[in-house]
């Protein structure tokens, strides 16, 4: 029996690995229907594979003649050494359980790290880390402990509609009422912008779904008008903003009673000087 021990050990490990794959293939659909959430489904299937492989390892240990007492002694001897290495992993696993339970984000959601401004899509959630596919075409792997402490904005949670704002400065000579109507009309013509409908509710507050333009500030060089609009999806906010600004530019340029403001300086001389400025040159040694 002991002569074939190594062979039996190898076969047991291989059988455990293969059994894990078979079980995940058979139970995959049932687990997905039971939990619904992709992150929890993947975690459960990983645990099934790990459990099957663990059974194979235990059979391999038994076939090599290592009893339970020897195994306990070995674990006791190496526990002090491995404790320092395993502590961060165990902590990350516990944080992963909290992440799966709290549900701050899900696989496929678009999130943003407020500290760095990075945006991306959640590619995978495990018990140890979260993998984010950034908009820069790179992968960001974050331990779940850091993910729990980070300030994250989830753009895909429940409602994908995102409220955006844009400030435009018009001259004081412009017809402000006409400018506001033109800006609202320009934003509503964009396909990526919600053009109207019932008010959108956020908590206890309600906001108009139609683009609305407000007088924000009387600045030095013109009147600041702030446009607030709703983007249908948060995935291309930069492109949506560019499209809105392009429509506003075309709308304003086509009218004569409104114009964009720009910084300028006007010099005014008093009456005593008759509008003349005195300029003197001095030669220095």
């Amino acid at each position: 029996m002991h002569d074939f021990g190594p062979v039996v050990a190898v076969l047991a490990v291989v059988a455990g690995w293969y059994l894990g794959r078979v079980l995940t293939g058979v139970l995959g659909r049932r687990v997905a229907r039971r939990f619904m959430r992709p992150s929890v489904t993947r975690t459960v299937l990983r645990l099934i594979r790990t459990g099957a492989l663990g059974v194979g390892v235990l059979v391999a240990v038994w076939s090599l003649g290592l009893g339970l007492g020897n195994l306990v002694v070995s674990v006791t001897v190496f526990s002090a050494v491995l404790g320092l290495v395993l502590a961060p992993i165990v902590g990350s696993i516990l944080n992963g359980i909290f992440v799966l339970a709290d549900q701050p984000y899900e696989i496929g959601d678009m999130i943003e790290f407020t500290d760095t401004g990075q945006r991306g899509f959640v590619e995978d959630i495990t018990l140890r880390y979260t993998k984010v596919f950034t908009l820069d075409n790179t992968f960001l792997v974050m331990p779940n402990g850091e993910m729990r402490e980070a300030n994250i904005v989830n753009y895909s949670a429940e409602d994908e509609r995102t409220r955006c704002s844009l400030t435009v400065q018009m001259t004081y000579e412009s017809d402000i009422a006409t400018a506001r109507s033109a800006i609202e009309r320009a934003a509503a013509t964009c396909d990526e912008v919600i053009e109207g409908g019932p008010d959108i509710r956020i908590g206890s507050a309600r906001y108009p779904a139609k683009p609305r333009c407000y007088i924000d500030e009387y600045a030095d060089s013109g009147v600041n008008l702030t446009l607030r609009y709703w983007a249908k999806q948060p995935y291309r906010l930069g492109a949506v903003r560019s499209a809105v600004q392009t429509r506003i530019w075309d709308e304003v340029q086509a009218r004569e009673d409104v114009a964009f403001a720009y910084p300028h300086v006007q010099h005014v001389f008093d009456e005593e000087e008759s509008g003349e400025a005195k300029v003197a040159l001095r030669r220095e040694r």
Side-chain angles (χ1 to χ4, degrees), residues 64-130:
L64 293 176
L66 297 178
L68 181 60
N70 295 332
L71 185 61
V72 171
V73 172
S74 300
V75 171
T76 304
V77 172
F78 291 101
S79 60
V81 179
L82 296 179
L84 184 62
V85 179
L86 295 178
I89 300 177
V90 174
S92 180
I93 292 176
L94 292 177
N95 285 309
I97 295 175
F98 284 116
V99 168
L100 293 175
D102 296 339
Q103 307 179 18
Y105 48 81
E106 186 53 77
I107 295 176
D109 287 353
M110 181 180 180
I111 63 175
E112 177 184 355
F113 298 93
T114 58
D115 296 337
T116 60
Q118 284 185 304
R119 292 182 182 179
F121 297 92
V122 179
E123 181 73 16
D124 195 9
I125 304 175
T126 69
L127 289 177
R128 294 185 296 110
Y129 61 84
T130 297

Side-chain angles (χ1 to χ4, degrees), residues 164-169 180 183-184 212-217 223-229:
C164 306
S165 62
L166 174 66
T167 300
V168 180
Q169 189 175 83
R180 292 174 59 187
I183 292 174
E184 292 174 353
R212 300 295 296 271
C213 186
Y214 305 93
I215 298 177
D216 186 28
E217 181 185 7
V223 181
N224 289 338
L225 303 180
T226 298
L227 170 69
R228 296 190 181 277
Y229 61 94

Side-chain angles (χ1 to χ4, degrees), residues 265-277:
V265 178
Q266 182 178 3
H267 296 280
V268 179
F269 301 98
D270 55 21
E271 297 179 357
E272 295 180 358
E273 301 296 338
S274 302
E276 296 181 357

Side-chain angles (χ1 to χ4, degrees), residues 101-280:
D102 296 339
Q103 307 179 18
Y105 48 81
E106 186 53 77
I107 295 176
D109 287 353
M110 181 180 180
I111 63 175
E112 177 184 355
F113 298 93
T114 58
D115 296 337
T116 60
Q118 284 185 304
R119 292 182 182 179
F121 297 92
V122 179
E123 181 73 16
D124 195 9
I125 304 175
T126 69
L127 289 177
R128 294 185 296 110
Y129 61 84
T130 297
K131 183 185 292 185
V132 179
F133 188 73
T134 67
L135 300 183
D136 298 327
N137 198 27
T138 59
F139 273 114
L140 183 63
V141 180
M142 297 284 291
N144 288 324
E146 297 183 11
M147 292 295 293
R148 289 194 66 200
E149 297 177 357
N151 295 324
I152 298 175
V153 178
N154 190 346
Y155 289 98
S156 304
E158 298 181 0
D159 194 343
E160 292 185 343
R161 296 175 296 184
T162 304
R163 198 179 190 209
C164 306
S165 62
L166 174 66
T167 300
V168 180
Q169 189 175 83
M170 312 302 295
T171 62
Y172 280 102
E173 294 77 17
S174 300
D175 187 339
I176 301 301
T178 302
R180 292 174 59 187
S181 301
I183 292 174
E184 292 174 353
R185 184 168 54 254
T189 57
C190 294
D191 296 335
E192 301 87 353
V193 175
I194 298 176
E195 61 180 352
D199 292 345
I200 297 176
R201 182 173 181 178
I202 301 179
S204 59
R206 293 180 180 272
Y207 299 93
K210 181 180 178 180
R212 300 295 296 271
C213 186
Y214 305 93
I215 298 177
D216 186 28
E217 181 185 7
Y218 294 104
D220 295 336
S221 302
V223 181
N224 289 338
L225 303 180
T226 298
L227 170 69
R228 296 190 181 277
Y229 61 94
W230 288 89
K232 296 179 181 179
Q233 293 180 337
Y235 308 126
R236 299 173 62 250
L237 294 181
V240 175
R241 182 183 178 89
S242 178
V244 171
Q245 293 189 101
T246 301
R247 295 294 178 88
I248 293 175
W249 176 271
D250 296 338
E251 187 73 22
V252 172
Q253 292 295 104
R255 308 187 66 90
E256 297 181 355
D257 51 353
V258 294
F260 293 109
Y262 58 90
H264 60 279
V265 178
Q266 182 178 3
H267 296 280
V268 179
F269 301 98
D270 55 21
E271 297 179 357
E272 295 180 358
E273 301 296 338
S274 302
E276 296 181 357
K278 295 183 177 180
V279 180

